[in-house]
Amino acid sequence: MDLKFSAEDFEFQKEVRAWIEENYPQEMRERHKRSANGHLSREDHMYWQQALYKKGWAGLDWPGELGGPEFTPTQRYLFDLEMAAADTPGILPFGQTMVAPVIMKYGSEEQKQRFLPDILASRVWWCQGYSEPGAGSDLASLRTKAERDGDYYVVNGTKTWNTLGQHADWIFCLVRTSDDGPRQQGISFLLIDMKSPGIEVQPIITLDNPPEGYQEINMVHFTDVKVPVENLIGEEGKGWTYAKYLLEFERGNAYSHGLKASLKELRKIAAVELSSDGRPLSEDADFARKLSEAEIAIRAMEFTELRILSSLATGKNVGPESSLLKCRGTELQQLLTELAVEAVGNYTVPFDNTGAILGMNADFIGPEYAAATAPRYFNNRKVAIYAGSNEIQRNIMAKLVLGLT
Ligand SMILES: Cc1cc2nc3c(=O)[nH]c(=O)nc-3n(C[C@H](O)[C@H](O)[C@H](O)COP(=O)(O)OP(=O)(O)OC[C@H]3O[C@@H](n4cnc5c(N)ncnc54)[C@H](O)[C@@H]3O)c2cc1C
């Protein structure tokens, strides 16, 4: 593999860094730094995504003729590296990364023209309606029903664990259009306007304790929701194929940039927190060893990503190795939040220490960096579950990477 970056690559990296410096407002940086779950207000997210669009850096994996920047794999790597180093908000995946590839591959011409430009420009906010109270890992057992009635489907059921649906304009949903035959064959893929009568978004308040409106996940209830048949993607009953295609894009993330940035923050905390003998924690042999082990694991992760990057540059796909990235990347994310709790100690204990984070008139209990430590620790329990739990990823690796049956 060839891991050398060219002079043009370094020029590109400088351009990204300078653009971030100019376009990432200081107040937004502060809000993002304090956000326990990495999310900001709808306005902040929209501002950021629209700024990227204006620069020509939206739809990062889209083909050039549809407006993608056509980064080389190396440019993409450097772009992600700079974004993580500057702690910018993540690009919301639901539109550009998840539903857009499905519309591109399986949507009609009319659907492409209607939806893709708004997704690229972040004029609409999408959310994902796959999981249900009785259907997660075993997604094919989903029961939300869509019954054909003339030019409409009438949708009834409940989706759950829906991320940021309180902000969404549209939801892409897996629905059951038939109970006959194998379960997968009765599933269809529908695009639904969240303003349709009969949709109710119900917040789920999680252990990281965000106040209502700032919640990360929701239930979405559908009661006799009328959806025009032209919002069906592809063919009725083929939704399972489209759903699986989408999941390839949901899981193919790079983790090492974000991990390196988090480790840097953790090292800063360890330099000011004291160990029991009064010396900085960073000089405590046991804690220093944990930091070094984390750094080694992150470097190994980075080299795995670079190895995959190198094969992408020669035209190969990520394939089931994305499961490896997801498992290892999320384990390391969790490890860093655990070490942060250990470093901060007692000041992680106050349960609701987020008032000042949200701009309320309340002082932090303890140092400012302590306030988000426990909410982040709790929030990061999710990473081993969403986008297909890590147990499911291990099943995929056992079968498709190791060839075990
Ligand atoms: C924060 C968060 C955000 C999410 N956002 C969305 C969203 O926006 N839209 C959406 O549709 N969904 C979303 N999800 C749902 C997510 O995809 C599911 O939670 C996930 O697929 C697991 O399903 P489940 O929660 O029903 O758990 P279950 O499937 O009930 O699994 C329970 C446990 O059993 C294990 N298990 C299950 N089957 C197997 C097996 N075959 N082999 C080994 N172990 C197994 C699992 O690993 C897990 O530990 C989100 C989830 C979280 C936590």
Side-chain angles (χ1 to χ4, degrees), residues 94 98 127-139 159-165 172 206 216-217 247 250-251 379 381-392 395:
F94 310 106
M98 289 162 79
C127 66
Q128 180 185 28
Y130 273 26
S131 308
E132 297 184 5
S137 304
D138 184 18
L139 191 56
K159 294 290 173 183
T160 193
W161 310 124
N162 165 271
T163 302
L164 298 176
F172 55 89
T206 42
E216 188 172 4
I217 45 178
L247 286 175
E250 187 177 359
R251 290 172 188 157
N379 187 271
R381 300 305 94 195
K382 73 185 177 190
V383 296
I385 302 170
Y386 66 24
S389 73
N390 284 9
E391 288 77 21
I392 296 296
N395 287 348

